[in-house]
Amino acid sequence: MNKKKCEGFKEQFINLNENELYEHIQTCESCRIEYLEMQKLSEVLKTVKPYYIKKQNIIKTFKTAAILTLTIFTGFMATYLTGTYHQNNLSFDDLGFPTDEYGFILVD
Ligand SMILES: [Zn+2]
């Protein structure tokens, strides 16, 4: 019918409305093949989509877990290092030097 006018499926897909496109693929074999390919792809995408969303959620969960872990770890490290620092920060008095009331070494 209008086979010679066909500029390819993409052109038809853009220019025709759904009914016109459907009519066109009844008469144009190359477009029908492309349409069926697209339908197949659409089905594949529909099948894949839930998995993709699931994957996105897993990534989101993983990121949240990683951030939480880091935050908690940093908190622990800060507490631990602070505690260690205070433990190791011996005063002159602790080391056995004679000190004054301010903790300075007494020099006669
Ligand atoms: Zn066509």
Side-chain angles (χ1 to χ4, degrees):
M1 200 161 78
N2 50 0
K3 226 174 188 178
K4 277 173 191 169
K5 269 171 91 185
C6 180
E7 289 158 20
F9 181 67
K10 275 172 201 146
E11 279 296 316
Q12 305 298 341
F13 189 78
I14 293 162
N15 296 324
L16 304 178
N17 68 38
E18 208 179 319
N19 288 332
E20 286 170 339
L21 184 71
Y22 189 70
E23 274 173 38
H24 178 73
I25 62 168
Q26 301 300 314
T27 56
C28 177
E29 201 184 336
S30 72
C31 282
R32 187 163 59 238
I33 290 165
E34 280 204 61
Y35 178 76
L36 290 173
E37 285 297 313
M38 205 183 75
Q39 287 286 94
K40 247 189 259 171
L41 184 69
S42 171
E43 284 303 308
V44 171
L45 285 177
K46 266 182 218 161
T47 317
V48 168
K49 207 178 170 189
Y51 293 104
Y52 182 72
I53 289 166
K54 224 186 235 175
K55 199 178 159 196
Q56 287 287 91
N57 284 341
I58 289 167
I59 291 167
K60 225 182 259 176
T61 310
F62 179 77
K63 273 185 187 167
T64 311
I67 290 164
L68 271 176
T69 308
L70 255 178
T71 310
I72 292 164
F73 180 72
T74 310
F76 272 127
M77 281 314 280
T79 311
Y80 175 74
L81 287 174
T82 308
T84 309
Y85 176 75
H86 283 306
Q87 272 169 25
N88 291 337
N89 190 21
L90 298 170
S91 64
F92 291 121
D93 192 39
D94 295 326
L95 293 169
F97 290 105
T99 56
D100 62 15
E101 59 197 288
Y102 302 108
F104 293 115
I105 296 174
L106 278 177
V107 184
D108 291 324

